[in-house]
Amino acid sequence: FQNNIYAQLNSTGYRKGYERNMLADLYLKRNFDNLIKGLWAKGLISFSGRLSQDILRNKSFATYSMTVDPAGETSYKQFSNNDPQNNSASVDNQWRQGYVEFDLGYTRQFGKNGIDAVLLYSQNSNRMNSDLPLIYKGLSGRLAYNYNEKYLAELAFGYNGANRYPEGFRYRLFPAVGLGWNIHEEAFLREYSWINRLKLFGSYGKTGNNRNGYYSFNQYFFDGDKVYFGTTP
């Protein structure tokens, strides 16, 4: 009798879930051929956000156990009560990300010589629930050269960092170099119609690790109601 199915369906309140997602992107590019042929600039702004919320309106109901004594008298024993409805709301998940990027580029072909260069600044901000924001910032660039679209050379760099590293170690330079050969552009392969793309490419660069932990460079000697010597409180 305490597992009253009808009462559980109709007398215990309800739970309402609410979720909101927002995405927005703005992208603008401008060519400056009237000033310098091949020069262009680009700007990009992106925002995404998510909110997940629960609204709980619950209440309890009374149930009764019926007893008939030997004399035929009926009595009832009450379990639980018809309590007022409780109302509460909680945010399960809240996340926001904002990204900005500004590019300045130059693309030009001089006869058989081609140049493609770009300089880029970017910032990526992430906020999750009550965590302190995680912000990546960086300046990067690339210079690519090709001769007759056969022989390729690239130089690239990134000067990037995150705010969860300590000051003085927050940003680092990450260079890279690459060489390539489009073999399919050579005359001795053009007669083979079944080969339309064949490239030999090699690169070498330095990369970084952005999984540095949640401000793990901060050291605490006392953070709670116990003092640790070694591993024993």
Side-chain angles (χ1 to χ4, degrees):
F1 61 93
Q2 288 180 281
N3 294 324
N4 188 310
I5 297 176
Y6 179 84
Q8 288 175 355
L9 287 172
N10 297 280
S11 303
T12 56
Y14 63 92
R15 176 178 177 176
K16 182 179 181 181
Y18 173 76
E19 186 171 308
R20 181 186 67 209
N21 291 281
M22 180 179 178
L23 298 171
D25 294 289
L26 177 63
Y27 170 96
L28 295 173
K29 186 176 181 180
R30 176 77 161 85
N31 293 319
F32 295 98
D33 289 335
N34 55 331
L35 299 176
I36 300 176
K37 186 173 178 58
L39 184 67
W40 55 268
K42 181 182 75 175
L44 186 150
I45 299 175
S46 176
F47 174 82
S48 58
R50 181 179 184 271
L51 172 68
S52 178
Q53 184 182 36
D54 275 336
I55 299 174
L56 184 61
R57 308 192 190 280
N58 63 321
K59 57 185 177 179
S60 61
F61 57 88
T63 58
Y64 300 88
S65 173
M66 184 181 71
T67 303
V68 180
D69 62 18
E73 296 292 332
T74 302
S75 62
Y76 296 91
K77 182 179 180 181
Q78 180 176 338
F79 296 85
S80 189
N81 297 290
N82 291 311
D83 293 327
Q85 178 174 280
N86 296 314
N87 301 285
S88 63
S90 62
V91 176
D92 292 337
N93 195 334
Q94 186 172 214
W95 173 79
R96 287 178 294 167
Q97 181 185 29
Y99 179 78
V100 294
E101 178 185 310
F102 300 100
D103 303 61
L104 184 64
Y106 179 75
T107 304
R108 189 78 184 272
Q109 192 75 25
F110 300 93
K112 294 183 177 182
N113 300 282
I115 295 177
D116 186 10
V118 63
L119 186 66
L120 181 152
Y121 169 80
S122 64
Q123 177 175 322
N124 190 352
S125 301
N126 299 271
R127 288 173 171 81
M128 175 71 76
N129 297 326
S130 60
D131 287 353
L132 293 170
L134 172 59
I135 302 174
Y136 299 105
K137 292 181 181 180
L139 181 68
S140 58
R142 179 176 65 90
L143 174 61
Y145 168 79
N146 78 84
Y147 177 75
N148 202 24
E149 297 187 357
K150 290 183 183 180
Y151 311 111
L152 316 171
E154 287 191 13
L155 292 174
F157 80 92
Y159 186 71
N160 304 314
N163 65 330
R164 289 185 180 176
Y165 285 100
E167 293 186 11
F169 300 90
R170 191 160 289 176
Y171 296 95
R172 281 292 182 268
L173 179 65
F174 305 101
V177 60
L179 294 173
W181 176 26
N182 281 326
I183 307 175
H184 64 275
E185 292 290 339
E186 297 290 350
F188 60 84
L189 281 182
R190 289 179 181 171
E191 60 181 285
Y192 299 100
S193 59
W194 54 273
I195 297 179
N196 57 14
R197 182 168 297 276
L198 180 63
K199 177 191 285 188
L200 180 65
F201 185 82
S203 64
Y204 178 83
K206 182 180 179 181
T207 62
N209 172 30
N210 67 347
R211 298 188 178 276
N212 55 308
Y214 188 73
Y215 296 94
S216 57
F217 65 88
N218 288 324
Q219 297 187 24
Y220 299 95
F221 292 94
F222 185 77
D223 189 16
D225 57 356
K226 297 177 181 178
V227 178
Y228 282 78
F229 294 93
T231 59
T232 304

